[in-house]
Amino acid sequence: MDDLDALATMETACFPPLEAADTEVLAGRIECYPDHFWLMINTDDDDIDATFPAQVEEGTLMSFINGPATNQTDLTDEMFTDPNVHEEEGEWQFLLGVDTAPIYQNHGCAAYLLRRVILDSAISGRKGLVLTCRERLKSYYEQFGFFDEGLSTSCHGNGAWYQMRLVLPRRELDEYCQHLVDEHAEAFEATRESLAQAIGETTSYIDDEDRF
């Protein structure tokens, strides 16, 4: 719970009040699925840190992604409010928030984290990932391998949300996933490219760590 205040500050900065997860909601998520939070932290002591108060022990919180895993196939409003929907062995990784501090936006922070979530989900044996977004952001998520499934049944925070799905490569795809791959071949290829890039980024990070 040490990073709770920073996470709540980030949510407030990134989403309008009806959409942002408050401290209580975030605390419940951390308690139920702590390993399903991905954080990017600026550990450098620079001038930018002072302009955004989302501080964690290691430095300044730049970006974070969170959400439960479950065997459900579609994102529901319940997922935003009830963290107990989480199933650790769930087949689908849902993303409830992709947050980047305004001062760090347009620098690739969310993209880096998304690729890492895709890689971690593949390593965990998930079938894929699901999120919802506004229409203007559909093309952004498509570059990673997500494809548009149309309007979501979710009305979280009001307004129209589009459900986006990404299918992960597996040794054997079930009939449902194989059908999705056949229908969205370009998206599946983009997923493979995201995975390859994430592996390269992770390897590069490990190599840099070994130098110290």
Side-chain angles (χ1 to χ4, degrees):
M1 297 290 182
D2 293 343
D3 299 334
L4 182 57
D5 288 343
L7 296 174
T9 298
M10 180 79 79
E11 278 280 303
T12 301
C14 293
F15 296 105
L18 289 177
E19 297 175 21
D22 60 24
T23 302
E24 182 178 355
V25 169
L26 288 168
R29 294 179 189 177
I30 293 171
E31 183 176 354
C32 286
Y33 45 88
D35 294 333
H36 295 254
F37 277 74
W38 290 264
L39 278 61
M40 176 178 283
I41 298 169
N42 182 0
T43 58
D44 293 333
D45 185 16
D46 56 32
D47 293 336
I48 295 179
D49 291 353
T51 69
F52 189 72
Q55 298 293 322
V56 295
E57 183 177 354
E58 298 88 348
T60 301
L61 182 62
M62 303 167 68
S63 185
F64 82 96
I65 296 174
N66 74 103
T70 163
N71 289 323
Q72 298 182 47
T73 55
D74 296 314
L75 192 147
T76 66
D77 284 340
E78 181 186 20
M79 294 179 184
F80 289 99
T81 57
D82 183 5
N84 293 304
V85 299
H86 175 68
E87 302 169 77
E88 188 56 41
E89 302 303 320
E91 296 176 336
W92 296 94
Q93 174 65 55
F94 286 81
L95 306 183
L96 302 183
V98 179
D99 301 39
T100 300
I103 59 172
Y104 291 111
Q105 290 176 5
N106 302 312
H107 289 81
C109 299
Y112 179 92
L113 273 188
L114 270 171
R115 288 190 292 270
R116 184 54 193 254
V117 176
I118 292 169
L119 176 59
D120 287 352
S121 298
I123 292 171
S124 297
R126 315 279 182 208
K127 289 184 177 180
L129 298 86
V130 182
L131 58 81
T132 57
C133 69
R134 300 302 191 188
E135 185 172 16
R136 62 183 174 81
L137 289 173
K138 289 194 296 184
S139 60
Y140 174 77
Y141 290 109
E142 285 169 351
Q143 67 181 304
F144 301 97
F146 287 90
F147 53 85
D148 179 15
E149 293 190 303
L151 284 170
S152 170
T153 59
S154 171
C155 57
H156 176 70
N158 297 326
W161 296 95
Y162 289 82
Q163 179 161 288
M164 309 291 288
R165 187 180 304 275
L166 180 151
V167 177
L168 289 165
R170 293 160 63 95
R171 187 166 298 174
E172 292 185 11
L173 294 173
D174 62 19
E175 184 177 352
Y176 173 65
C177 288
Q178 186 61 60
H179 173 70
L180 293 175
V181 168
D182 292 341
E183 275 198 340
H184 304 279
E186 290 186 9
F188 193 61
E189 182 58 33
T191 297
R192 290 184 179 277
E193 293 173 1
S194 292
L195 281 168
Q197 188 170 350
I199 291 170
E201 289 166 343
T202 302
T203 302
S204 176
Y205 174 80
I206 293 173
D207 289 344
D208 286 343
E209 287 286 291
D210 288 343
R211 295 175 188 170
F212 299 96

